[in-house]
Amino acid sequence: MDSDEQLMIRVQAGDEDAVTELVTRWRARLYGFLVRRAPDVADDLFQETWIRVVRAAERFDPSRRFSTWLFQIANNLCRDRARRRAVEESYRHSVREEIRHDAGRLDPPPLDLRLDMHRRVHALPERLREVLLLRYYHRLSEAEIADTVGIPRGTVKSRLHHAVRALRQQMAEADA
Amino acid sequence: MSANTPCVGVQERLIEALLAHDEAAAPDLAHSESCDACRTLRDDLLHVRAGLGTDAEQEPAPAMVQRTLLATRSALRRRAPARAPLPVGFKRELARLLAAPLAVLPLVLLWNWTVLAFGGELLAAWLPTAAIVALGAAYALAAGGSLAAVFGSLPVVAHGRTQQRLREVTA
Ligand SMILES: [Zn+2]
């Protein structure tokens, strides 16, 4: 079976079957990332990410890992989209206000822990959310995240810790 | 919790363990048992972990996957039928291969110039001028041709080697 990177070499040569194979292999992981990263536009960005993969195939360096490159494209699209839609504005509110707001909108109120956490992750500031998703769910190393997001490795680490502490803080405040 | 307690390190490692889906180390758990701040964090992190779950994957709707495949196929066909891109590392390999031939090139040129300049004078005693001119031209052609062959083959060799290495890296 071809590795992801070998498949990309075939995509570079215009092989349609190689694209199909990559989409099939990565669809659930990519969609899982997008749903948490940008839930309201995950469907759009799923398709957009793969089109970018094909269009930019020639710039892919097969000595790099495909997964890092794929998440980099997806994450950049999420950022662009957030910027365009000025969603950033809402992230400036305190996390607590976000949760109250969401809780008021959700009906009926009793939520299980998972759904609750899903909302809390979504309420994290974008810079914390992206590193948390890549590290925790997609198990990228700190070095790979640094590469994917384009920030120094030390920053990745501090943002990860910050994200976990923010989630903990939110839970404590919700319980209080 | 002051700077000279182990709590800062313990708490960092508890968080690292969560991020890596690992169990916390035994000494850190032991410390947490006897330290309020670290025990609270440990318990909170168990909640965070339970809430986050571990499932990274979510299946997209099959119809959307189908639409995506159609879109990527047409994007692939519409892509400029560009010439094959140079493999990554090609330029570096070519520079490496060129180094030695370029270093001796001045010597080769000097030698050829010497042969042409003094060879003609030496042969003038035995051969008519027309024959010497013809010989000189043939020599210059042969020398120029071999230089062109050497330098012209280097990009081909560099391309082959780079692709070979990429195949090894990605195999
Ligand atoms: Zn402690």
Side-chain angles (χ1 to χ4, degrees):
Chain A
M1 196 173 71
D2 282 348
S3 68
D4 297 328
E5 293 73 23
Q6 285 167 327
L7 286 172
M8 274 308 294
I9 293 174
R10 285 169 52 195
V11 174
Q12 289 173 337
D15 185 338
E16 292 181 10
D17 292 342
V19 179
T20 307
E21 176 67 25
L22 280 171
V23 173
T24 308
R25 259 184 216 181
W26 283 91
R27 66 179 194 280
R29 275 174 283 183
L30 176 65
Y31 193 61
F33 173 72
L34 291 171
V35 161
R36 287 196 171 92
R37 177 74 175 76
D40 41 349
V41 287
D43 286 20
D44 279 2
L45 294 189
F46 180 80
Q47 183 159 328
E48 186 68 24
T49 301
W50 287 110
I51 291 175
R52 294 267 174 123
V53 165
V54 168
R55 287 200 186 136
E58 281 166 16
R59 292 200 295 274
F60 175 70
D61 170 359
S63 63
R64 277 184 65 189
R65 273 180 68 185
F66 173 72
S67 55
T68 314
W69 192 64
L70 179 69
F71 283 124
Q72 185 174 32
I73 290 176
N75 194 50
N76 284 342
L77 284 172
C78 292
R79 282 181 178 181
D80 291 350
R81 189 65 69 104
R83 222 168 279 137
R84 274 214 302 278
R85 303 177 79 200
V87 171
E88 304 283 37
E89 288 304 317
S90 68
Y91 295 153
R92 295 208 183 93
H93 292 301
S94 78
V95 159
R96 196 185 170 114
E97 275 174 355
E98 285 271 334
I99 286 172
R100 275 197 194 137
H101 176 68
D102 274 353
R105 225 172 36 193
L106 282 163
D107 187 36
L111 294 161
D112 70 13
L113 184 59
R114 282 291 171 84
L115 187 55
D116 226 30
M117 191 56 84
H118 188 82
R119 270 188 307 113
R120 287 188 183 132
V121 169
H122 185 50
L124 286 175
E126 184 172 33
R127 66 178 197 289
L128 301 185
R129 185 160 27 123
E130 61 190 7
V131 294
L132 180 71
L133 296 180
L134 292 170
R135 178 77 186 99
Y136 184 80
Y137 291 108
H138 299 281
R139 307 195 184 201
L140 267 62
S141 68
E142 284 176 3
E144 286 172 330
I145 298 172
D147 197 16
T148 302
V149 179
I151 52 176
R153 207 174 147 176
T155 310
V156 173
K157 195 183 189 70
S158 67
R159 284 187 188 177
L160 283 170
H161 283 246
H162 192 159
V164 173
R165 287 181 185 277
L167 288 177
R168 179 201 182 201
Q169 179 75 18
Q170 289 176 38
M171 285 184 41
E173 287 176 9
D175 288 344
Chain B
M1 182 173 86
S2 71
N4 52 11
T5 66
C7 299
V8 175
V10 169
Q11 298 193 3
E12 285 220 334
R13 287 190 297 276
L14 289 176
I15 292 177
E16 283 298 319
L18 169 104
L19 289 167
H21 303 262
D22 282 339
E23 293 308 316
D28 293 339
L29 288 176
H31 168 88
S32 304
E33 282 305 320
S34 58
C35 166
D36 283 347
C38 294
R39 188 172 56 244
T40 311
L41 177 71
R42 184 202 63 189
D43 293 347
D44 287 355
L45 291 183
L46 285 177
H47 269 87
V48 170
R49 187 176 212 159
L52 286 172
T54 53
D55 202 4
E57 304 194 356
Q58 185 161 333
E59 201 57 53
M64 187 175 72
V65 176
Q66 282 310 313
R67 274 202 307 280
T68 302
L69 285 175
L70 286 175
T72 52
R73 280 186 192 155
S74 77
L76 194 61
R77 287 194 208 110
R78 269 202 314 272
R79 209 174 57 180
R83 57 197 173 76
L86 290 174
V88 176
F90 171 77
K91 284 183 191 155
R92 216 177 320 126
E93 181 67 30
L94 183 60
R96 219 172 52 80
L97 289 174
L98 273 173
L102 277 180
V104 298
L105 185 63
L107 284 176
V108 173
L109 290 178
L110 182 67
W111 165 253
N112 284 326
W113 179 81
T114 312
V115 167
L116 285 172
F118 297 102
E121 282 179 32
L122 281 175
L123 292 174
W126 294 286
L127 293 174
T129 312
I132 294 171
V133 169
L135 267 177
Y139 180 83
L141 267 178
S146 23
L147 280 177
V150 167
F151 282 94
S153 70
L154 290 182
V156 180
V157 175
H159 193 268
R161 283 193 185 177
T162 326
Q163 288 216 312
Q164 175 62 35
R165 194 159 43 241
L166 283 178
R167 271 194 297 275
E168 286 164 9
V169 167
T170 59

Tab-separated table of all heavy atoms in Angstrom, chain B residues 1 5-8 10-11 31-32 34-39, ligand 1:
chain	number	residue	atom	x	y	z
B	1	MET	N	1.134	27.524	47.348
B	1	MET	CA	2.137	26.894	46.480
B	1	MET	C	3.239	27.920	46.201
B	1	MET	O	3.025	28.906	45.520
B	1	MET	CB	1.452	26.480	45.174
B	1	MET	CG	2.345	25.778	44.214
B	1	MET	SD	1.392	25.166	42.802
B	1	MET	CE	1.379	26.584	41.711
B	5	THR	N	8.286	24.683	46.122
B	5	THR	CA	7.592	23.399	46.247
B	5	THR	C	7.649	22.711	44.886
B	5	THR	O	7.887	23.369	43.865
B	5	THR	CB	6.113	23.596	46.635
B	5	THR	OG1	5.463	24.248	45.548
B	5	THR	CG2	5.984	24.423	47.893
B	6	PRO	N	7.416	21.413	44.895
B	6	PRO	CA	7.449	20.690	43.609
B	6	PRO	C	6.192	20.901	42.776
B	6	PRO	O	6.084	20.366	41.686
B	6	PRO	CB	7.576	19.225	44.051
B	6	PRO	CG	6.961	19.182	45.403
B	6	PRO	CD	7.184	20.525	46.029
B	7	CYS	N	5.251	21.704	43.276
B	7	CYS	CA	3.928	21.759	42.640
B	7	CYS	C	3.965	22.233	41.182
B	7	CYS	O	3.214	21.706	40.353
B	7	CYS	CB	3.005	22.656	43.448
B	7	CYS	SG	2.769	22.039	45.112
B	8	VAL	N	4.810	23.212	40.892
B	8	VAL	CA	4.824	23.741	39.520
B	8	VAL	C	5.137	22.623	38.539
B	8	VAL	O	4.421	22.414	37.543
B	8	VAL	CB	5.869	24.881	39.392
B	8	VAL	CG1	5.973	25.338	37.949
B	8	VAL	CG2	5.483	26.047	40.292
B	10	VAL	N	4.961	19.340	39.062
B	10	VAL	CA	3.938	18.295	39.113
B	10	VAL	C	2.753	18.694	38.242
B	10	VAL	O	2.255	17.911	37.417
B	10	VAL	CB	3.467	18.057	40.569
B	10	VAL	CG1	2.218	17.171	40.589
B	10	VAL	CG2	4.575	17.413	41.392
B	11	GLN	N	2.312	19.936	38.393
B	11	GLN	CA	1.124	20.371	37.646
B	11	GLN	C	1.388	20.420	36.145
B	11	GLN	O	0.523	20.072	35.346
B	11	GLN	CB	0.654	21.729	38.178
B	11	GLN	CG	0.250	21.610	39.654
B	11	GLN	CD	-0.513	22.813	40.177
B	11	GLN	OE1	-0.810	23.743	39.440
B	11	GLN	NE2	-0.827	22.786	41.467
B	31	HIS	N	2.363	12.650	45.082
B	31	HIS	CA	2.411	14.026	45.574
B	31	HIS	C	0.994	14.611	45.650
B	31	HIS	O	0.635	15.269	46.633
B	31	HIS	CB	3.295	14.886	44.669
B	31	HIS	CG	3.170	16.352	44.939
B	31	HIS	ND1	3.933	17.022	45.864
B	31	HIS	CD2	2.312	17.279	44.419
B	31	HIS	CE1	3.577	18.287	45.905
B	31	HIS	NE2	2.590	18.481	45.033
B	32	SER	N	0.198	14.355	44.610
B	32	SER	CA	-1.150	14.916	44.558
B	32	SER	C	-2.002	14.456	45.740
B	32	SER	O	-2.872	15.194	46.204
B	32	SER	CB	-1.851	14.502	43.265
B	32	SER	OG	-1.073	14.893	42.156
B	34	SER	N	-1.118	14.154	48.709
B	34	SER	CA	-0.827	14.872	49.946
B	34	SER	C	-0.801	16.387	49.748
B	34	SER	O	-0.353	17.117	50.624
B	34	SER	CB	0.520	14.398	50.500
B	34	SER	OG	1.516	14.622	49.528
B	35	CYS	N	-1.252	16.858	48.576
B	35	CYS	CA	-1.186	18.300	48.304
B	35	CYS	C	-2.532	18.750	47.744
B	35	CYS	O	-2.981	18.247	46.713
B	35	CYS	CB	-0.061	18.589	47.305
B	35	CYS	SG	-0.131	20.235	46.604
B	36	ASP	N	-3.174	19.679	48.442
B	36	ASP	CA	-4.521	20.093	48.046
B	36	ASP	C	-4.577	20.646	46.621
B	36	ASP	O	-5.428	20.256	45.825
B	36	ASP	CB	-5.043	21.156	49.017
B	36	ASP	CG	-5.505	20.509	50.320
B	36	ASP	OD1	-5.643	19.262	50.321
B	36	ASP	OD2	-5.703	21.238	51.304
B	37	ALA	N	-3.628	21.571	46.338
B	37	ALA	CA	-3.690	22.240	45.033
B	37	ALA	C	-3.538	21.227	43.903
B	37	ALA	O	-4.295	21.243	42.920
B	37	ALA	CB	-2.591	23.297	44.937
B	38	CYS	N	-2.577	20.326	44.042
B	38	CYS	CA	-2.319	19.368	42.961
B	38	CYS	C	-3.427	18.314	42.875
B	38	CYS	O	-3.766	17.849	41.794
B	38	CYS	CB	-0.947	18.709	43.126
B	38	CYS	SG	0.387	19.910	42.915
B	39	ARG	N	-4.002	17.967	44.029
B	39	ARG	CA	-5.091	16.988	43.996
B	39	ARG	C	-6.305	17.590	43.276
B	39	ARG	O	-6.959	16.931	42.469
B	39	ARG	CB	-5.472	16.543	45.400
B	39	ARG	CG	-6.472	15.380	45.370
B	39	ARG	CD	-6.743	14.779	46.734
B	39	ARG	NE	-7.194	15.785	47.682
B	39	ARG	CZ	-6.511	16.141	48.774
B	39	ARG	NH1	-5.351	15.563	49.055
B	39	ARG	NH2	-6.977	17.067	49.572
C	1	ZN	ZN	1.411	20.174	44.931
